[in-house]
Amino acid sequence: MITEQDFVFNKVESSFPKKGKFTWKTPSNIALVKYWGKREPQLPENPSISFTLDACFTLTTLEFTKKSSKDIKFEIYFEGKKKDEFKPKIEKFFSRIRQYVPFIAEYDFVIRSRNSFPHSSGIASSASGMAALALCIMSMEKALNPSITDEFFYKKASFLARLGSGSASRSIDGELVVWGKHRDITGSSDLYGVQFPEKIHKNFKNFHDIILLVDEGEKQVSSTIGHDLMHNHPFAEKRFDQAKDNISKLSSVLQNGDLKSFITIVESEALTLHAMMMSSNPYFILMKPNTLHIINKIWEYRAQTNSNVCFTLDAGANVHLLFPEKEKSSVNKFVIRQLIQFCQNNHYICDRVGSGAKQF
Ligand code: PMV
């Protein structure tokens, strides 16, 4: 069993380089069983599982230069522009991870980052963004201690990413990642994400995700506030039990290929996430009228065609349309004929399950 202590860096085998840079491309992910509710330090109240995406990613370069003072100094450029407003989140991330990667205090940093999806699309970039930074820092650790194994490298990257944003722990590996301890998932941990350890049925290989951009604006309620509202939530304990139960059910479904049960679990998870928001104090609604129009169209289409297309939602109004590879052309037609009218500026993104982060 790996403990937090095992992630504390304590061995320098190479001398500290004066300067250098590392670049990682990290995917976004979409949760099938949702993480909603956490405790310090960024530990989940229930386990979650996600598909790693492919087309939606962040590309980040971390440049580092040795310095003498002990404060961590950095600049951040997003899509070529200096972004001081991103600094507080990254400052918090650096201060949280410093005890595990103390060598970062020896350097000044310049972070250059861009997303493959528009920043205003309503797709959260914190998962892919924090995962990219965590991997760049792990590349620094590997340069200082080349003897670390790949397994440790990726586990610790997920552990660090989690301290930046919980769902970022699931943006390191592909194709299905579980974060949070669960008795049915071998090796699972609250500290980091692990690849779903069982053989995945062919029905779930190359699964597609079309992201319908209903509302391209910034979210009105951040996920930090949403997680916090689970603390005194009247249904919290029941919700955490339900999520654990859904992980068990989904684990069997992913192995036996039962697409109809997949739909039931995934859609119920999405609606429950939003039901938690609507029943917290204060309550809030992130869905928009077009979110509901799309959901109704999906249900209608499924009743008429017996298709296996289903939806899930993030903490926002956009709809993720999930479907098997063999329905690719029929669902594409359905989107163009019946769904894009509900997307802001007719915008949508075609994505699919991906294989995880890559170094550049
Ligand atoms: O990682 P955070 O703190 O942004 O929380 C993500 C929460 C959801 O996206 C709503 C669900 C999930 O499991 O990804």
Side-chain angles (χ1 to χ4, degrees), residues 21-218:
K21 63 177 179 183
F22 291 107
T23 300
W24 279 87
K25 177 183 159 189
T26 43
S28 186
N29 70 74
I30 180 68
L32 304 171
V33 172
K34 310 288 180 181
Y35 145 61
W36 199 242
K38 64 177 172 183
R39 55 185 197 282
E40 282 294 322
Q42 201 96 302
L43 295 166
E45 291 287 11
N46 66 261
S48 56
I49 181 166
S50 52
F51 270 141
T52 305
L53 297 181
D54 183 48
C56 290
F57 62 82
T58 296
L59 189 72
T60 296
T61 298
L62 182 70
E63 300 169 9
F64 51 95
T65 318
K66 195 117 169 52
K67 57 138 157 108
S68 45
S69 77
K70 283 284 169 201
D71 294 333
I72 300 171
K73 257 188 30 215
F74 67 94
E75 293 300 340
I76 169 136
Y77 293 85
F78 182 72
E79 275 151 18
K81 293 201 187 78
K82 202 157 173 235
K83 287 275 181 191
D84 286 344
E85 61 268 39
F86 291 177
K87 278 188 154 178
K89 194 154 188 190
I90 293 167
E91 242 151 37
K92 194 165 171 197
F93 173 61
F94 278 145
S95 71
R96 275 188 163 167
I97 65 169
R98 193 170 166 162
Q99 57 180 309
Y100 306 105
V101 282
F103 53 84
I104 62 172
E106 311 277 333
Y107 292 95
D108 287 334
F109 295 101
V110 178
I111 302 161
R112 296 181 200 278
S113 198
R114 70 173 178 86
N115 294 336
S116 64
F117 46 90
H119 183 60
S120 61
S121 62
I123 300 176
S125 59
S126 58
S128 49
M130 288 298 174
L133 260 187
L135 280 160
C136 290
I137 289 167
M138 280 312 292
S139 288
M140 291 181 74
E141 174 160 339
K142 178 113 185 151
L144 296 172
N145 181 10
S147 65
I148 58 173
T149 62
D150 278 356
E151 194 193 345
F152 178 83
F153 180 95
Y154 288 107
K155 268 202 174 123
K156 184 166 171 183
S158 171
F159 170 85
L160 297 178
R162 182 203 102 228
L163 291 166
S165 170
S167 56
S169 66
R170 302 188 313 242
S171 270
I172 305 284
D173 263 326
E175 306 164 1
L176 272 161
V177 179
V178 179
W179 168 45
K181 188 146 185 54
H182 191 285
R183 61 178 177 351
D184 293 352
I185 310 288
T186 313
S188 60
S189 168
D190 283 353
L191 299 178
Y192 46 81
V194 296
Q195 247 174 1
F196 180 65
E198 312 298 338
K199 191 168 172 343
I200 303 164
H201 192 278
K202 64 175 181 348
N203 285 352
F204 297 108
K205 288 278 171 191
N206 284 327
F207 229 64
H208 289 254
D209 178 5
I210 291 186
I211 309 165
L212 301 161
L213 303 175
V214 171
D215 181 20
E216 304 194 51
E218 288 269 311

